[in-house]
C-alpha cells in the first residue's frame, strides 16, 4: 500500500479518562495504520457538551502519549465544527432526505427495540408533523432495503435500516448535531480511509454509510474490534465504572491489550514498555487474527 494512502483515526468522547476498553480500540486503530506506514489522527468527539467532562480531553491525550500512541497533526475538536454539520444538514434537507420530528422520548418509549437495545423509530412524523406539534429533532429517512456492507473483522454483513433502526436522528431535540451526522462529516473532512473502532459501533455503520451516500462522500473501510467486558459481562464504560488506565505497569497493560487483539507478545518482551511492545506488534499486525468475541479484562486493567 502507498504509505500516504492510509489515514486512520481514534475518536474518543471526552466523557472521562480512557479505560482499558478504549485503549484496546486505540491500539488496534494505531497498529492498523502504522503497520502500513499510514497516518493516525485523533479527533475529540466533544459534540455532546452535557456529557463531556471538563479536562477529560487533555487527560486522554496525556494517556495516549504515556502509552506511546503518538498521533499525526492537530487534534480535531467536534465542538468547533458546527458550521460544517449545519451545511451537511442543509444538504440533506435540500435532497428531502431528512424530516422534522416532534416525538418525545416518552412518546417513543413503547416502540419496539432492536437487538442493540435502540428504539426502532415507528415513522410517526415521516409524512409530516402531526397537527399542533412542532419539530424538535431532525431524522434521516431510513431506506427499506437490505444494504450489504463489509467489515474487515466481521466479514460481509447487511442491515435493513427501515426495519432494524428506523429513521434516525441527525440533529437532536436539544439542538445538538447527532453523532451519526458529525462522524460522517468529520471522517470525510479528515480524508479517513480506514475506521478501526470498538464493536459496539458495528451496527452504526450502515447509518453512516447511508449518510455518506446521500452527501456524495466516500465510504472508508471498516473494522470493528472486540469489546472488552468486565467479569459481570458488561462493556467497560464510564457507566459500568471502568477504572481509568493505570499509570503504572503500562507495559503489562499494553501486553494484555495486544493479547486480546490476537497478538500475544513473545516471552522476550515480558517487562517491555509500551513503545517496544507496539514496535513488535506493528511488525506482526494482521487484522485477521483479531477475535470476534468480546474479551474479559483481567485484573491488570
Ligand atoms: N466517539 C465514539 C466513542 O467514543 C467513537 C466514534 C467512532 O469511532 O466512530 O465511542
Amino acid at each position: 500500500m502507498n504509505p500516504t494512502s492510509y489515514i486512520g483515526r481514534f475518536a474518543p468522547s471526552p466523557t472521562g479518562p480512557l479505560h482499558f476498553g478504549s485503549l484496546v480500540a486505540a491500539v488496534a486503530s494505531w497498529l492498523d495504520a502504522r503497520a502500513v506506514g499510514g497516518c493516525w489522527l485523533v479527533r475529540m468527539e466533544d459534540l455532546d457538551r452535557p456529557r463531556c467532562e471538563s479536562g477529560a480531553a487533555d487527560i486522554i491525550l496525556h494517556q495516549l502519549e504515556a502509552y506511546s500512541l503518538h498521533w499525526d497533526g492537530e487534534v480535531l475538536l467536534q465542538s468547533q465544527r458546527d458550521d460544517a454539520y449545519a451545511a451537511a444538514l442543509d444538504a440533506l434537507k435540500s435532497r428531502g432526505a431528512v424530516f422534522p420530528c416532534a416525538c418525545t422520548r416518552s412518546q417513543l418509549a413503547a416502540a419496539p427495540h432492536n437487538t442493540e437495545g435502540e428504539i426502532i423509530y415507528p415513522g410517526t412524523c415521516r409524512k409530516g408533523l402531526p397537527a399542533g406539534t412542532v419539530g424538535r429533532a431532525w431524522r434521516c429517512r431510513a431506506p427499506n432495503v437490505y444494504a450489504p456492507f463489509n467489515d474487515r473483522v466481521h466479514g460481509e454483513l447487511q442491515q435493513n435500516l427501515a426495519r432494524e433502526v428506523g429513521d434516525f436522528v441527525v440533529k437532536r431535540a436539544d439542538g445538538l448535531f447527532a453523532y451519526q451526522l458529525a462522524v460522517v462529516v468529520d471522517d470525510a473532512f479528515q480524508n479517513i480511509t480506514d475506521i478501526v473502532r470498538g464493536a459496539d459501533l458495528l451496527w452504526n455503520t450502515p447509518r453512516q454509510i447511508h449518510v455518506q451516500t446521500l452527501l456524495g462522500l466516500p465510504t472508508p473501510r471498516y473494522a470493528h474490534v472486540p469489546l472488552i467486558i468486565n467479569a459481570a459481562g458488561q462493556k467497560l464504560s464510564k457507566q459500568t465504572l471502568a477504572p481509568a488506565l493505570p499509570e503504572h505497569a503500562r507495559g503489562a497493560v499494553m501486553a494484555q491489550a495486544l493479547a486480546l487483539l490476537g497478538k500475544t507478545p513473545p516471552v522476550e518482551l515480558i517487562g517491555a514498555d509500551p513503545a517496544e511492545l507496539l514496535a513488535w506488534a506493528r511488525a506482526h499486525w494482521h487484522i485477521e487474527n483479531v477475535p470476534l468475541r468480546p474479551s474479559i479484562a483481567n485484573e491488570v486493567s
Side-chain angles (χ1 to χ4, degrees), residues 9 11-13 43 45 179 183 187 195-197 200-201 208 235:
R9 51 60 157 188
S13 304
R43 176 168 77 231
E45 296 211 328
Y179 160 67
V183 72
D187 284 332
I195 294 175
V196 179
R197 60 187 178 189
D200 51 330
L201 295 167
Q208 295 169 20
K235 178 195 159 195

Side-chain angles (χ1 to χ4, degrees), residues 230-286:
N230 60 22
Q234 300 161 312
K235 178 195 159 195
L236 295 193
S237 71
K238 193 176 166 179
Q239 288 72 29
T240 60
L241 307 176
L245 280 176
E247 290 176 26
H248 56 88
R250 291 193 189 104
V253 176
M254 180 61 80
Q256 193 201 351
L258 293 173
L260 297 185
L261 289 167
K263 281 276 149 269
T264 302
V267 278
E268 306 86 86
L269 285 177
I270 289 174
D273 64 22
E276 291 170 281
L277 289 161
L278 285 170
W280 170 83
R282 169 185 180 161
H284 295 86
W285 177 244
H286 294 291

